[in-house]
Structures are given as structure tokens and as C-alpha cells.
């Protein structure tokens, strides 16, 4: 799909699909965390701080003339503002295992407080619901 969209000059749609998938993944993680809160799941949610920054950078490579891209970028920045309160992401290592890149934790875990988790979950749900409705 990515290749097709790029060939058709619609690679902004590909970026929107990536952003939508990331938002949906974060939404699912926060919903699961409400019912089955574990330190590991909280860590996975906190670890989204880094890919979110990279996703915002990707969205900023597209024209501001596209209102869909601009709106999604603004939504991601609003979520990023909540992640700014989360401690630095743990150091990670990148290894190759059987031809697959594996990103693993290194330093101490990032603490995600109840208030931070609640704020991230609420904002993510609001953004997600705006997209699907």
C-alpha cells in the first residue's frame, strides 16, 4: 500500500495510516491497562514517547496545505505534551536475532504515574474517537 500511494503521489495518506495505527495501538494499550495494569504494560506505554517524537517528525515533512495532515500532527503534538511529563525513556539496545531487529530495554524503567497514565489514556481516547466518528 505504501508503495502504491507513493507512486500515485499520495504518500501523505501513508503517513496518516501510520499515525492512525499508532494512535489505535496506544488506545488499545491504555484500555487494557485500565483492566489489567502491570508494570510491563505501563513501561510499554511510557516507551511510546520515542516513536511518538519520530512520528511527529514524519508528519512535519508533509505540506501544511493538507488539513488532514495538519490536524493529525496537532493531535500527536497534544499527546506528546502529555508524554513530556514522563521521565526519560530507558536506554535501549538494538540487536539482530535471526534476521529480525530487536529493540530491548537497558537502563532503569521509566516511571509512569497514575495521573500521567490517566491523562494519556483520556487524550488518546478523545483523539481516536474523533477519528472513527
Amino acid at each position: 500500500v505504501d508503495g502504491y500511494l507513493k507512486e500515485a503521489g499520495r504518500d501523505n495518506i501513508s503517513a496518516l495510516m501510520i499515525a492512525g495505527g499508532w494512535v489505535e495501538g496506544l488506545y488499545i494499550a491504555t484500555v487494557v491497562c485500565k483492566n489489567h495494569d502491570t508494570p510491563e504494560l505501563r513501561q510499554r506505554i511510557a516507551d511510546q514517547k520515542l516513536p511518538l517524537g519520530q512520528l511527529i517528525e514524519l508528519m512535519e515533512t508533509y505540506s501544511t496545505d493538507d488539513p488532514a495532515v495538519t490536524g493529525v500532527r496537532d493531535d500527536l503534538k497534544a499527546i506528546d505534551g502529555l508524554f513530556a511529563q514522563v521521565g526519560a525513556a530507558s536506554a535501549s539496545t538494538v540487536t539482530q536475532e535471526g534476521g529480525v531487529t530487536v529493540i530491548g530495554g537497558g537502563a532503569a524503567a521509566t516511571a509512569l504515574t497514575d495521573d500521567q497514565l490517566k491523562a494519556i489514556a483520556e487524550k488518546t481516547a478523545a483523539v481516536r474517537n474523533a477519528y472513527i466518528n
Side-chain angles (χ1 to χ4, degrees):
V1 171
D2 183 55
Y4 171 78
L5 289 170
K6 286 181 179 176
E7 285 178 20
R10 300 184 65 206
D11 48 331
N12 60 327
I13 302 298
S14 181
L16 291 170
M17 289 171 45
I18 293 167
W22 183 88
V23 169
E24 184 68 15
L26 183 61
Y27 170 77
I28 290 169
T30 57
V31 169
V32 169
C33 197
K34 285 180 186 177
N35 298 316
H36 303 287
D37 193 354
T38 66
E40 294 83 7
L41 185 52
R42 279 184 182 239
Q43 183 62 48
R44 294 292 174 247
I45 293 169
D47 287 346
Q48 294 307 300
K49 182 177 183 175
L50 177 62
L52 174 56
Q54 294 169 337
L55 184 54
I56 291 169
E57 288 177 18
L58 171 68
M59 299 304 289
E60 288 177 342
T61 65
Y62 293 94
S63 172
T64 57
D65 295 340
D66 185 341
V69 170
T70 302
V72 169
R73 186 188 64 231
D74 292 346
D75 290 339
L76 294 174
K77 284 183 176 183
I79 296 171
D80 189 49
L82 299 172
F83 273 100
Q85 305 304 316
V86 177
S90 61
S92 61
T93 57
V94 178
T95 59
Q96 292 288 329
E97 295 179 11
V100 176
T101 301
V102 178
I103 301 173
T110 304
L112 184 64
T113 68
D114 291 342
D115 289 341
Q116 291 167 336
L117 177 60
K118 180 180 177 188
I120 290 168
E122 287 175 353
K123 183 60 178 177
T124 302
V127 168
R128 185 239 186 209
N129 290 337
Y131 292 170
I132 65 170
N133 291 324

